[in-house]
Structure formats: structure tokens, C-alpha cells
Amino acid sequence: TGALASLLQMQGHVVIAVEPCARLRSAPAVTWISDTLPRLSKTRGRYDLVFCLGVLQHLAPLDQRRSVQRLARLLAPGGRLVLALRQGPAPKERRAWPMTSLLRAKNGLVMTRFVRRGSLQPGNRTHHVQWTWVVLKRPKVTAKPPLR
């Protein structure tokens, strides 16, 4: 719904958000790009912070890995990728896949945070849905001193 995009924009950040579904692009002061994972073919640039929240479980495992690789390439040196990964049964109307091997490939990133919590939604708690929050960081490129 653009809630996070709106919040970040109100705090003074320049926000570029990707959403393929026009009816979910509700934040008016945000630059919206209609694009999809895993390719993100219309999304260009390098970013300090990239969020991918509650999306990857809807992609088949190969596309999950390709998506994280693509998101990693969008990070500027020192940039962070924040993932919210849902584990548990999917709603009947939505298809979902497990993400058991997703974090094995680091894609040149360093994991700086890993938190697993139960869902806040009562219906999800009944079904023991868990959320894993992960922050991955692209190391800053440091110039090596010249050889003497």
C-alpha cells in the first residue's frame, strides 16, 4: 500500500518504490516504478537502502535466488538490503514456496542482522507463521594503497 514508502518520504528521504500492481501504489509523493522480480528490468541506479518485504515467498525458489542477486546488484557500496521472509502456510488464495535455502548465497553481501519473530496477525499466529527479518550489507569499496 505504500505505507513504508510514505513514512520514509515524510522523514525526508528520496523514495523510489517498485510495485507492479497500480492499485497498491498509494503514496503520492513517491516515485513509483512498475516492475517485477526477479528481473527488475526497469529499475536502474544504486541505492543506499532497499526493502523487499513479504514478497519472496510468492516466487519459486530459483526466482527467489535470482531476485536476491538482482537486489544485491542495486546496492551502492555500504548499502543495505532489508528482507522480511514469511515462513508458514500460505493463504488459500496465494501461492507460496518455502525459503529454506535463500540465505545460503550471500551475493557479496554481509549479514548484519537476523531476527525471527512470530506474526502479529491473529490468523497467522493460529497457523504458527513466522517472519525472518534479515539485513544484508554491501561492503564499502576501499582503495588499496599503492605499492612502493
Side-chain angles (χ1 to χ4, degrees):
T1 62
L4 178 60
S6 292
L7 177 66
L8 291 170
Q9 188 276 329
M10 287 188 300
Q11 293 178 353
H13 300 282
V14 175
V15 178
I16 300 169
V18 175
E19 174 56 62
C21 183
R23 67 180 171 81
L24 296 180
R25 296 184 220 136
S26 63
V30 169
T31 300
W32 289 97
I33 299 173
S34 178
D35 210 347
T36 58
L37 288 168
R39 293 190 64 212
L40 293 179
S41 59
K42 300 175 190 171
T43 306
R44 306 271 189 270
R46 297 274 186 219
Y47 301 93
D48 296 321
L49 186 58
V50 174
F51 289 94
C52 185
L53 310 178
V55 174
L56 295 175
Q57 74 272 7
H58 298 297
L59 303 176
L62 180 58
D63 284 337
Q64 291 174 4
R65 289 189 297 279
R66 288 177 176 160
S67 295
V68 172
Q69 289 168 354
R70 177 67 177 116
L71 293 169
R73 287 193 305 273
L74 290 172
L75 290 176
R80 288 179 169 79
L81 171 59
V82 179
L83 302 173
L85 309 172
R86 185 185 190 279
Q87 290 91 34
K92 292 176 187 173
E93 68 278 2
R94 306 281 315 261
R95 191 161 187 186
W97 283 267
M99 292 174 287
T100 54
S101 64
L102 182 61
L103 296 176
R104 289 189 192 136
K106 298 291 194 271
N107 298 297
L109 306 177
V110 177
M111 187 179 302
T112 62
R113 186 95 167 138
F114 180 95
V115 177
R116 181 167 287 154
R117 297 278 188 263
S119 180
L120 298 175
Q121 297 174 325
N124 283 344
R125 282 191 304 222
T126 301
H127 294 98
H128 307 288
V129 171
Q130 297 277 311
W131 285 89
T132 301
W133 291 81
V134 179
V135 179
L136 302 168
K137 182 178 179 181
R138 174 164 302 291
K140 288 186 177 181
V141 178
T142 56
K144 294 183 181 184
L147 296 175
R148 300 196 187 242

